[in-house]
Amino acid sequence: VESADATKLPVNLAISLLKNNRGEIDLALPISGSLDDPQFSIGGLIIKVIVNLFVKAVTSPFALLGSMVGGGEELSNVEFAAGRATLNDETTKKLEALAKALNERNTLKLEITGRADPETDKEGIKRLAIERAMKAEKLKDMKKAGEGKSLDEIDISPEETKTYMKRAYKEAKFPKPRNLVGMQKDLPVEEMEKLMMTNLPATDDDIKDLATRRAEVVQNWLTEQGKVAPARVFLLPAKLGA
């Protein structure tokens, strides 16, 4: 209603964040004051706490959710290693807390924006391509021995790095330094890696695709492992930038 005393705070948003599916708002907040103070008022303290909660709801909604279900973690973003779109234990832990919050509050919906940095992620994409090229060479050896695995299941040990880097470098399609008789030069691992980093492609479209895949990975985890209804999780256009 129109009233000079009415709050301008986003009451509906705050209630949606605080209220569980049973219609309960269960808070454990410290309240302190002196009973000897003539201005002391339980009601006034409670109102102050609620107003502060409502302010936090609009300014830091994910921090509020994190304080209630995630042990105080900021749940507004998850980080990915450069050039990659795979979750690790830390990011999965965040998504578990976020899924719990969403499943306990059916009125909430979530928008996800994938992001990528044109500088660090471009380098990361190239490093990932080198890593996968080395794994592909190891996979050839494993298949000859009757073993079959996906590239993601293969590890390259430090002792194997030189062997598979050399083979991946040889298979890479770009001009390579040659000696006086036209034979490909035998280079140290560091130089082979440097040449591959310089010559392997990583376009702006690759960066945008990476940002989109990151958002899709988060969406899929929340709807599949997190059991959040797909109709409540939306993907927004990806953004590029540091």
Side-chain angles (χ1 to χ4, degrees), residues 12-13 16-17 19 21 61-62 65 75 98-99 101-112 219 222-223 228-236:
N12 288 333
L13 171 61
S16 294
L17 288 165
K19 185 175 65 174
N21 293 337
F62 288 97
L65 287 176
L75 303 179
L98 183 57
L102 291 171
N103 286 325
E104 291 178 355
R105 293 160 181 81
N106 286 337
T107 59
L108 294 179
K109 295 180 181 179
L110 181 72
E111 294 177 340
I112 303 172
Q219 182 191 43
L222 288 171
T223 56
V228 180
R232 298 173 57 206
V233 184
F234 304 90
L235 292 185
L236 299 184

Side-chain angles (χ1 to χ4, degrees), residues 26-37:
D26 186 6
L27 302 173
L29 296 167
I31 296 177
S32 62
S34 172
L35 294 174
D36 294 329
D37 184 350

Side-chain angles (χ1 to χ4, degrees), residues 6-222:
T7 178
K8 305 299 183 187
L9 294 168
V11 176
N12 288 333
L13 171 61
I15 289 175
S16 294
L17 288 165
L18 296 169
K19 185 175 65 174
N20 62 28
N21 293 337
R22 298 181 298 278
E24 302 165 343
I25 295 178
D26 186 6
L27 302 173
L29 296 167
I31 296 177
S32 62
S34 172
L35 294 174
D36 294 329
D37 184 350
Q39 302 298 319
F40 179 81
S41 165
I42 289 288
L45 284 172
I46 291 174
I47 290 295
K48 184 178 179 181
V49 166
I50 290 176
V51 168
N52 289 341
L53 267 176
F54 281 20
V55 171
K56 188 171 185 178
V58 71
T59 57
S60 306
F62 288 97
L64 179 62
L65 287 176
S67 68
M68 293 189 289
V69 301
E73 280 199 275
E74 169 60 65
L75 303 179
S76 63
N77 65 82
V78 293
E79 295 185 5
F80 291 87
R84 299 173 189 266
T86 51
L87 300 171
N88 57 31
D89 291 342
E90 183 179 345
T91 52
T92 299
K93 182 181 176 183
K94 275 193 174 185
L95 292 180
E96 287 172 350
L98 183 57
K100 179 181 178 183
L102 291 171
N103 286 325
E104 291 178 355
R105 293 160 181 81
N106 286 337
T107 59
L108 294 179
K109 295 180 181 179
L110 181 72
E111 294 177 340
I112 303 172
T113 301
R115 292 178 180 269
D117 181 350
E119 295 302 321
T120 58
D121 281 315
K122 187 170 288 188
E123 182 175 323
I125 286 173
K126 291 184 178 186
R127 291 196 180 281
L128 181 60
I130 293 173
E131 180 184 304
R132 293 183 68 83
M134 292 170 65
K135 288 182 177 183
E137 292 304 313
K138 184 173 181 177
L139 181 60
K140 292 176 183 177
D141 292 343
M142 294 175 71
K143 286 184 175 178
K144 289 177 183 177
E147 301 178 43
K149 285 187 175 181
S150 70
L151 289 186
D152 293 331
E153 295 176 303
I154 296 174
D155 292 317
I156 303 291
S157 68
E159 296 78 20
E160 297 172 320
T161 297
K162 183 176 181 179
T163 298
Y164 292 116
M165 173 64 81
K166 189 173 182 178
R167 285 169 52 174
Y169 173 78
K170 183 178 179 180
E171 291 295 318
K173 307 299 182 184
F174 61 83
K176 303 178 180 72
R178 297 185 178 275
N179 56 26
L180 293 175
V181 295
M183 300 292 289
Q184 185 175 301
K185 282 186 177 181
D186 190 12
L187 301 174
V189 169
E190 294 78 11
E191 288 191 37
M192 288 188 285
E193 181 181 28
K194 186 177 180 180
L195 283 169
M196 292 181 77
M197 286 290 294
T198 300
N199 289 279
L200 287 175
T203 66
D204 291 341
D205 285 341
D206 293 331
I207 301 298
K208 188 173 182 179
D209 288 344
L210 174 64
T212 300
R213 281 190 284 116
R214 286 172 170 172
E216 291 171 346
V217 164
V218 171
Q219 182 191 43
N220 290 338
W221 194 98
L222 288 171

